[in-house]
Amino acid sequence: MRKVWLWIVLIVSLMANVGFVGGYAGATLQRDEAATRTGALQLLAQRLDLGVAQIDTLKRHRGKAVRLRQGLENAQREDVEAFWAELVADRPNRDRLAALAKTTAERQVAFTLDVAEELRAFMTKLAPEQRQEFVALIRARPIFQGRFLMTT
C-alpha cells in the first residue's frame, strides 16, 4: 500500500512541476512578446480597448516621439563627446564643462516637453477612463519604460 501512495505522490508532484514549468515558460514568452514594439502597442490597444482610429493616432504620435528622441540623440552626440574629452584633459575647463552640461540639460528638457505634448495630444482622443489607464500603464509597467519611444 505504501508503494502505491508513493507512486501517487510522485506522479502528482511531477504533474505539478510540469505545470509550473509550463506556466513559467508561457509567461516568459508573453512577456517577451509584449516587450517588442508591436507587442507593447497591442497590449495598450487591448488594455485600453482602443478603436482603430485611436490605434492609428497612437502610432502617429508615437512615431513623432521616436523622431524627437532620435533628433535629441543626434544633437547630443557631439556635446557628450566634447564633455568627456574635456573631462579627461589634464586641466579640464570648468566653464566649458558647465556650458556643455547646460546645453545637454536644456535639450533634454525641451525633448521631455515635446514628448509630453505628443502624449497629451494622443490622450485627448481617449475617454477619461482610458486616459487614466494609459497613464497608469506607462508609469507602472516595466515593458513601457523607454519602449514608447523605441526606434521604428
Side-chain angles (χ1 to χ4, degrees):
M1 185 70 170
R2 283 187 172 195
K3 286 184 180 182
V4 171
W5 280 108
L6 182 61
W7 278 105
I8 290 173
V9 169
L10 182 64
I11 290 171
V12 168
S13 174
L14 181 62
M15 289 180 0
N17 284 329
V18 167
F20 286 129
V21 170
Y24 176 78
T28 301
L29 289 174
Q30 286 177 342
R31 185 194 70 227
D32 291 345
E33 179 184 331
T36 65
R37 274 176 254 118
T38 306
L41 289 174
Q42 287 173 347
L43 181 61
L44 267 176
Q46 178 184 359
R47 292 283 300 270
L48 299 176
D49 194 26
L50 297 179
V52 174
Q54 289 174 318
I55 293 171
D56 291 342
T57 302
L58 173 61
K59 287 179 181 178
R60 187 175 69 250
H61 289 293
R62 184 187 154 278
K64 288 180 185 177
V66 167
R67 288 188 293 281
L68 287 169
R69 191 196 80 197
Q70 290 169 337
L72 173 69
E73 288 174 356
N74 292 337
Q76 301 284 65
R77 192 169 289 123
E78 286 182 26
D79 287 343
V80 168
E81 291 302 319
F83 180 88
W84 287 108
E86 186 68 34
L87 192 61
V88 299
D90 288 338
R91 291 192 173 154
N93 182 336
R94 183 173 170 79
D95 292 336
R96 172 90 171 122
L97 289 172
L100 289 168
K102 183 179 179 184
T103 302
T104 301
E106 288 170 350
R107 280 194 194 120
Q108 183 66 45
V109 168
F111 164 75
T112 300
L113 293 174
D114 290 344
V115 169
E117 187 176 309
E118 291 303 322
L119 287 170
R120 184 69 188 131
F122 167 66
M123 287 192 288
T124 62
K125 305 297 183 190
L126 299 176
E129 313 82 51
Q130 288 176 314
R131 201 172 307 136
Q132 293 296 325
E133 182 68 16
F134 177 67
V135 170
L137 279 171
I138 286 185
R139 290 187 71 192
R141 297 289 303 245
I143 67 166
F144 293 114
Q145 293 175 355
R147 291 204 172 56
F148 183 79
L149 302 175
M150 284 177 73
T151 57
T152 55

